[in-house]
Amino acid sequence: MANTRARTTTAGGACPDDRLDTRFRAIAAGTPGRTAVTDARGSVTYGGLAEEADAVTRALRGRVSPGQPVAVRAGRSRHALAGLLGILGAGASYLPVDPGYPQDRQRHFLDDSGTALVLTEGPPAPGESSLAQVGPLSLAARLPVPGAPALPPDTAYTIYTSGSTGLPKGCVVGHGQVLALLDAALPLFDTGADDVWTLFHSWSFDFSVWEIWGALLGGGRAVVVDRDTAADPEAFAHLLAHEAVTVLNQVPSAFGNLVAETSATGTRLPALRHVVLGGEAMVPEDVRRWWAADTAPLASVTNMYGITETTVHVTHCPLTPETLADARPGRTPIGRPLPHLNVELRDAEGVLVGHGEPGELWIGGAGVSHGYLGRPELTAERFPGEPGSPGRRYRSGDWAVADADGLLYYAGRMDGQVKLRGFRVELGEIEAELRALPGVDGAACLLDDGGSTPALVAYLVADRAAMPSAQVRSALAGRLPAHMLPQRLHYLDRLPVTPHGKLDREALLAGAVAGTDQERTAPRTTKDGGLHAG
């Protein structure tokens, strides 16, 4: 397969001219007539996309300083990509603001980052004034935020991640860190100009970084998946087949919905070469069902563990039946570090653990980001070591264990368990048992602690007539202790996912889901709170 990769960057992007936008422009100059991006309304060539990006750059020239954040408040379209490229071409950095997010969350991104300029598909928001029209995009100004933190001049983007305090925190990532990821990871997949990638994820989710730049800097074609299609497995499967997609990136929750759809309909995806899973813990049973259905006979399936703070991907694990044989909740295979990163397992005191012992993942190397925007204390806590030094690490808060061959297995978050009536409960173990039941296409479990009595709640994507609740209870009671048995069971048409493609647990708790039938009355429980199987 043809490959159009540019030269390898040094760790940390030591060459200041080696940037995402300059690599794109080199490809656009060499192949201006090749199709770069397809969305629901049409396509644009590399040359056309470069021209659209140039218009954005001209509108920003004289208004931005190196690394300064410019917000992109736009949905999934080819024009949004021109906006990202144009911002980078002006020497600024992009701050993605998903227009589907709640208004308060959008404002927090803008206020916390001190962003003064917004590139938007819609009209300016209250408090914004229009500066210029650039094709379908508008450039608007916001009132300056006093004391806004400055960004490093090589910043490519800032993406906000959930914070333990409830307030999202901005993670600042440089050009060199993204290029180090691409130069290390793309050769593992041998992707190039003949490949067709989906852009499935929100620009505000860092999985999109891998999708956008993996496609465009490889000279391939990117297919933008609009929000409605992403939420409809039937429409999405049709799109994959129609566009002959070769590289599919999925969060496991969204992949599970796709597996259920393609398995039920017999959909075939003969062009697909790679399925890349990331963003949350992989579900082994979904991968087995995908293989059993022979949906994509030529496609490899790879599980990649990663973190926004270390630039999308950290490890790489090609999946095989043998790899999955030992997989279970608390032991998800995530493979080995990518070539530009190194991983250590340490205990809670920061001491390296012995062979076979679980430890926290500490990640070092060229992908470690600049840290958190405007939060030096948190950055110092989570990123031990001097900025720019080879010994700098990121403390992930994730547990893992290595086998005798050095293969890493994800063991969950340090705070990933829930506590119910004095018991520590691993929700993933309950979900795995539910998914193993015949006729169950998807399952989720969570703790509902919003009422007077906390309760485990299970959600099944299944036909209640074929798998009635009494049968579910009986099967679980034979495999789980009483304190791990759900008190409530709901039947759904499909599991809801967030704009990022992850399981939408808030929607489950709020009842904002489509279901064929729902059992809302808690069954009789044993004295220790488990679901009674009698």
Side-chain angles (χ1 to χ4, degrees), residues 48-64:
L49 187 59
E51 290 178 3
E52 288 188 43
D54 285 342
V56 173
T57 296
R58 288 193 297 271
L60 289 171
R61 202 161 277 150
R63 291 187 166 112
V64 293

Side-chain angles (χ1 to χ4, degrees), residues 416-431 434 444-451 453-459 476 480-490 505 508-509 519-523 525 528-532:
Q417 295 177 327
V418 299
K419 194 168 185 177
L420 181 65
R421 298 177 182 87
F423 291 98
R424 300 299 299 182
V425 175
E426 177 59 61
L427 297 177
E429 185 174 354
I430 303 172
E431 292 170 346
L434 289 168
C445 186
L446 48 83
L447 180 68
D448 183 358
D449 56 3
T453 304
L456 288 173
V457 187
Y459 301 84
L476 289 184
L480 293 173
H483 68 270
M484 295 182 69
L485 299 176
Q487 284 81 47
R488 297 203 298 272
L489 182 64
H490 301 262
R505 297 184 182 273
L508 288 175
L509 279 176
E519 178 186 312
R520 294 190 176 276
T521 303
T525 58
D528 61 359
L531 184 150
H532 191 274

Side-chain angles (χ1 to χ4, degrees), residues 41-119:
R41 297 189 177 184
S43 297
V44 63
T45 63
Y46 272 85
L49 187 59
E51 290 178 3
E52 288 188 43
D54 285 342
V56 173
T57 296
R58 288 193 297 271
L60 289 171
R61 202 161 277 150
R63 291 187 166 112
V64 293
S65 56
Q68 178 182 331
V70 177
V72 179
R73 189 173 58 228
R76 303 177 197 180
S77 74
R78 63 185 190 273
H79 304 299
L81 296 182
L84 303 184
L85 282 161
I87 290 168
L88 297 180
S93 63
Y94 68 87
L95 172 72
V97 179
D98 192 318
Y101 281 2
Q103 291 298 317
D104 286 348
R105 191 175 186 86
Q106 294 186 41
R107 278 193 296 270
H108 173 72
F109 289 3
L110 297 171
D111 292 342
D112 183 69
S113 63
T115 297
L117 295 172
V118 180
L119 200 62

Side-chain angles (χ1 to χ4, degrees), residues 236-286:
F236 183 46
H238 175 76
L239 178 73
L240 294 175
H242 181 263
E243 297 291 348
V245 168
T246 65
V247 182
L248 170 64
N249 300 279
Q250 290 277 271
V251 169
S253 292
F255 181 64
N257 288 337
L258 178 64
V259 171
E261 171 64 28
T262 56
S263 299
T265 60
T267 300
R268 291 293 178 267
L269 303 173
L272 194 60
R273 299 178 57 231
H274 295 290
V275 177
V276 179
L277 303 176
E280 62 186 11
M282 178 265 296
V283 180
E285 191 56 34
D286 285 343

Side-chain angles (χ1 to χ4, degrees), residues 304-315:
M304 298 187 80
Y305 163 81
I307 317 164
T308 304
E309 287 86 346
T310 52
T311 316
V312 191
H313 295 312
V314 172
T315 67

Side-chain angles (χ1 to χ4, degrees), residues 290-516:
W290 172 264
W291 287 335
D294 202 28
T295 300
L298 301 180
S300 65
V301 183
T302 302
N303 190 37
M304 298 187 80
Y305 163 81
I307 317 164
T308 304
E309 287 86 346
T310 52
T311 316
V312 191
H313 295 312
V314 172
T315 67
H316 167 264
C317 185
L319 298 179
T320 65
E322 292 73 25
T323 306
L324 293 186
D326 293 332
R328 59 182 183 273
R331 190 179 169 85
T332 301
I334 59 174
R336 305 180 191 279
L338 292 169
H340 68 305
L341 296 172
N342 56 79
V343 169
E344 297 172 338
L345 299 182
R346 298 175 178 251
D347 64 18
E349 306 302 321
V351 178
L352 291 170
V353 302
H355 176 74
E357 296 179 11
E360 182 185 4
L361 286 154
W362 287 46
I363 298 108
V368 177
S369 71
H370 291 308
Y372 298 120
L373 179 62
R375 301 195 182 185
E377 295 85 3
L378 183 60
T379 297
E381 174 189 338
R382 298 297 297 274
F383 293 82
E386 290 298 318
S389 71
R392 190 164 181 258
R393 298 283 188 271
Y394 173 68
R395 297 188 59 171
S396 69
D398 290 325
W399 284 108
V401 65
D403 67 13
D405 294 325
L407 190 74
L408 291 165
Y409 291 81
Y410 176 74
R413 290 290 298 172
M414 296 175 70
D415 54 358
Q417 295 177 327
V418 299
K419 194 168 185 177
L420 181 65
R421 298 177 182 87
F423 291 98
R424 300 299 299 182
V425 175
E426 177 59 61
L427 297 177
E429 185 174 354
I430 303 172
E431 292 170 346
E433 294 294 348
L434 289 168
R435 292 189 190 98
L437 298 176
V440 173
D441 290 329
C445 186
L446 48 83
L447 180 68
D448 183 358
D449 56 3
S452 58
T453 304
L456 288 173
V457 187
Y459 301 84
L460 291 183
V461 179
D463 181 353
R464 181 167 183 166
M467 177 54 64
S469 58
Q471 189 172 336
V472 173
R473 297 173 194 172
S474 178
L476 289 184
R479 301 183 65 87
L480 293 173
H483 68 270
M484 295 182 69
L485 299 176
Q487 284 81 47
R488 297 203 298 272
L489 182 64
H490 301 262
Y491 288 79
L492 307 176
D493 294 337
R494 69 174 64 105
L495 293 175
V497 295
T498 68
H500 293 177
K502 296 185 179 182
L503 179 67
D504 193 339
R505 297 184 182 273
E506 291 185 5
L508 288 175
L509 279 176
V513 290
T516 56

Side-chain angles (χ1 to χ4, degrees), residues 185-230:
L186 288 180
L188 299 174
F189 297 95
D190 190 32
T191 58
D194 296 332
D195 279 302
V196 181
W197 294 58
T198 49
L199 304 191
F200 181 89
H201 300 93
S202 163
W203 316 134
S204 293
F205 180 29
D206 74 327
F207 216 163
S208 70
V209 172
W210 166 251
E211 293 180 301
I212 294 167
W213 304 111
L216 295 182
L217 299 194
R221 179 166 69 95
V223 176
V224 180
V225 183
D226 62 65
R227 187 185 297 273
D228 290 341
T229 301

